[in-house]
Structure formats: C-alpha cells, structure tokens
Amino acid sequence: MVHSCHDLEQYVQFLELMEDAKAAGHKHPLKWAIQEAVRRNILRDYLERKGDEVLSILMTEYDYATDMAVLKEEAYEDGLFVSREEGISIGLERGREEGISVGIERGAYETRLETARAMLAIGMTNEQVQVCTGLPLERVLLLQQEQGLRSEP
C-alpha cells in the first residue's frame, strides 16, 4: 500500500531518515533528517515551506488532552463549537426569525389576495388585478371563479 502512494512512500522515507539520524547519534536528529530529506528530494517542497513547523511539531511531546482542548478552543473561536444550552438558544432564535419571516411573507400574500378580490369585485380586469397585485394570472382567474364573477369578455 505504501508503494501505491508517492507521498506516503516519501513520508515513510522521511521517518526512516529520522530513525537513522537518532541511531547515528546526530546532535539534532530531527533537524538533520529534514535537511537530508530536502537534499534527497524527499517531501522537498513541503519541507522547504514548512520545515520549521514540522520540526516544532516533532519536538513537542504529543498530549491528547491538550490537543483536544486547543481544537475545542479554535472551534469555539470560529463559532463552530457551542455548549448544548447555547446551541438550543441559537436554534430557538433562528427558528423564531424564520417563523417571523414566513409569517410576514404569508401575511403579505394574503393581503395581495384580499386586494385582488376587492379589485375584481369592483370590476377591474384580470390584467389590471394581476399588474397591481403581482399575482399570477392563473391565481387571479381562480379568485374570480371563487367569487362567482363573470369572466371578462
């Protein structure tokens, strides 16, 4: 599997360089491994750009709890993590806002229907009602039928 992925194969080679450097007793085995990998064209582009960062990561002892705390803090700062209570509060607020928006839209539509009914009742043409209310002509015709009004000549 390693040989089927070029990047993975190079990563394994890089790890082998680190082990070789430790075994050879280099004073700074990680630094030497990065320099040697670049010299041998192993992960060269990446190590030239991120070598210092890689060195820093490799020299830092990994601590799962600290890593999770940092990830949680970053997610919180990015607005991706909230407590359960905050999530419920945010959800309720969004639901309220959506409900208000839908209510306003429905109310506006009902007002347009009422206006169209009144306009038809006083004899305005279907086209006039359509233009004034913005309703589709088919809806105006249905309103006319509901009211039992005669279709225009």
Side-chain angles (χ1 to χ4, degrees):
M1 181 166 130
V2 169
H3 300 294
S4 65
C5 177
H6 181 68
D7 290 338
L8 186 56
E9 187 174 5
Q10 286 195 352
Y11 182 70
V12 169
Q13 291 172 353
F14 175 66
L15 293 177
E16 289 170 352
L17 282 175
M18 287 194 312
E19 291 301 318
D20 292 347
K22 286 180 188 176
H26 283 281
K27 188 175 180 182
H28 301 287
L30 300 176
K31 198 173 203 176
W32 180 88
I34 291 171
Q35 291 170 347
E36 187 63 18
V38 169
R39 191 183 71 70
R40 294 185 189 183
N41 204 24
I42 298 170
L43 299 174
R44 181 183 199 138
D45 294 338
Y46 182 78
L47 291 173
E48 283 178 338
R49 284 182 291 124
K50 302 280 189 170
D52 291 338
E53 193 174 325
V54 169
L55 184 61
S56 175
I57 290 169
L58 292 173
M59 292 181 73
T60 304
E61 186 175 326
Y62 181 76
D63 176 17
Y64 180 79
T66 302
D67 190 30
M68 289 298 104
V70 168
L71 288 174
K72 200 175 198 180
E73 184 178 324
E74 288 172 352
Y76 187 81
E77 288 170 0
D78 292 342
L80 301 175
F81 175 82
V82 292
S83 69
R84 183 174 183 273
E85 291 77 20
E86 286 175 300
I88 291 170
S89 177
I90 290 169
L92 288 172
E93 183 60 31
R94 286 184 185 160
R96 243 188 314 273
E97 289 170 4
E98 280 186 42
I100 290 169
S101 178
V102 168
I104 289 171
E105 287 177 28
R106 283 186 185 161
Y109 183 73
E110 289 299 322
T111 300
R112 289 171 37 207
L113 291 176
E114 289 174 25
T115 302
R117 286 185 188 101
M119 294 171 81
L120 289 169
I122 62 170
M124 293 182 82
T125 68
N126 293 332
E127 288 75 20
Q128 289 171 324
V129 173
Q130 178 191 11
V131 169
C132 291
T133 62
L135 293 171
L137 184 58
E138 299 80 30
R139 187 64 180 118
V140 174
L141 292 171
L142 285 173
L143 288 173
Q144 189 177 45
Q145 287 176 356
E146 288 172 9
Q147 290 183 317
L149 299 171
R150 273 190 5 217
S151 292
E152 302 163 359

